[in-house]
Amino acid sequence: MMKQEADLDSEKQIYLTCEKYYIFELLIFAAGMMGAYTFNLRGGVFCNAQTANVVLMALAFGKGEIANGVYYLIPISAYIAGASISEILPRRVRKIHFLRWDTYLVGFEMLILFLIGFLPLSVPVQIVQVLINFICSMQYNTFRQTASVM
């Protein structure tokens, strides 16, 4: 009987607070808000995921609007850069003092979004798009694992 209990305990995975389901709900909500913000106010691109941008790029190419299609490579490239950096940095940073990598990432995201909030709409949309794409991809890539139980 003891062996069976030990096997069950070893199968259970302990999740960190940042891997809990309710944290993912907050991150999904935040990403949706960022996508709506950039699409409606900052140039008509989605900065929380790139599927829609690839579709919009393909539509532009299909219509013969090459310059418009190439434009979508800006947010797509920023997203790829953020995902790449979020793979490299945690290996080097892991833990500074008492905080983990993902805690610093959320703080960095909050700072960037706070600063973006003060940028007037006259600022070129590409600046905001690149910043938001970058942090969205880092967020998505960092918070990949979630507890399957609510």
Side-chain angles (χ1 to χ4, degrees):
M1 185 70 164
M2 293 295 250
K3 182 170 177 7
Q4 289 175 342
E5 287 175 9
D7 288 341
L8 286 175
D9 287 340
S10 66
E11 289 178 10
K12 290 181 185 176
Q13 185 169 0
I14 298 172
Y15 290 94
L16 301 170
T17 301
C18 64
E19 297 170 335
K20 301 290 182 173
Y21 194 78
Y22 61 90
I23 298 295
F24 280 85
E25 289 173 340
L26 290 172
L27 293 174
I28 290 166
F29 177 77
M33 292 298 293
M34 286 184 262
Y37 171 73
T38 55
F39 187 79
N40 289 308
L41 296 175
R42 298 292 187 165
V45 299
F46 293 97
C47 289
N48 59 334
Q50 298 311 299
T51 306
N53 289 335
V54 172
V55 169
L56 292 171
M57 182 174 62
L59 288 171
F61 287 151
K63 293 178 185 176
E65 301 168 355
I66 304 303
N68 287 342
V70 170
Y71 177 79
Y72 287 101
L73 292 176
I74 295 171
I76 293 169
S77 299
Y79 199 87
I80 291 169
S84 300
I85 289 175
S86 70
E87 284 292 322
I88 296 167
L89 276 180
R91 294 180 192 146
R92 301 185 194 285
V93 175
R94 290 254 188 249
K95 193 173 185 179
I96 300 174
H97 303 293
F98 62 93
L99 296 176
R100 292 171 14 114
W101 151 254
D102 43 16
T103 307
Y104 286 108
L105 174 63
V106 170
F108 174 71
E109 288 177 15
M110 289 170 49
L111 175 67
I112 295 297
L113 291 173
F114 180 77
L115 295 174
I116 286 173
F118 288 102
L119 293 177
L121 292 176
S122 59
V123 170
V125 295
Q126 293 84 359
I127 294 170
V128 175
Q129 291 171 358
V130 166
L131 288 170
I132 292 179
N133 268 297
F134 187 78
I135 63 173
C136 280
S137 70
M138 289 181 77
Q139 174 182 300
Y140 176 78
N141 204 38
T142 300
F143 297 97
R144 291 187 284 212
Q145 179 177 335
T146 182
S148 56
V149 227
M150 289 197 210

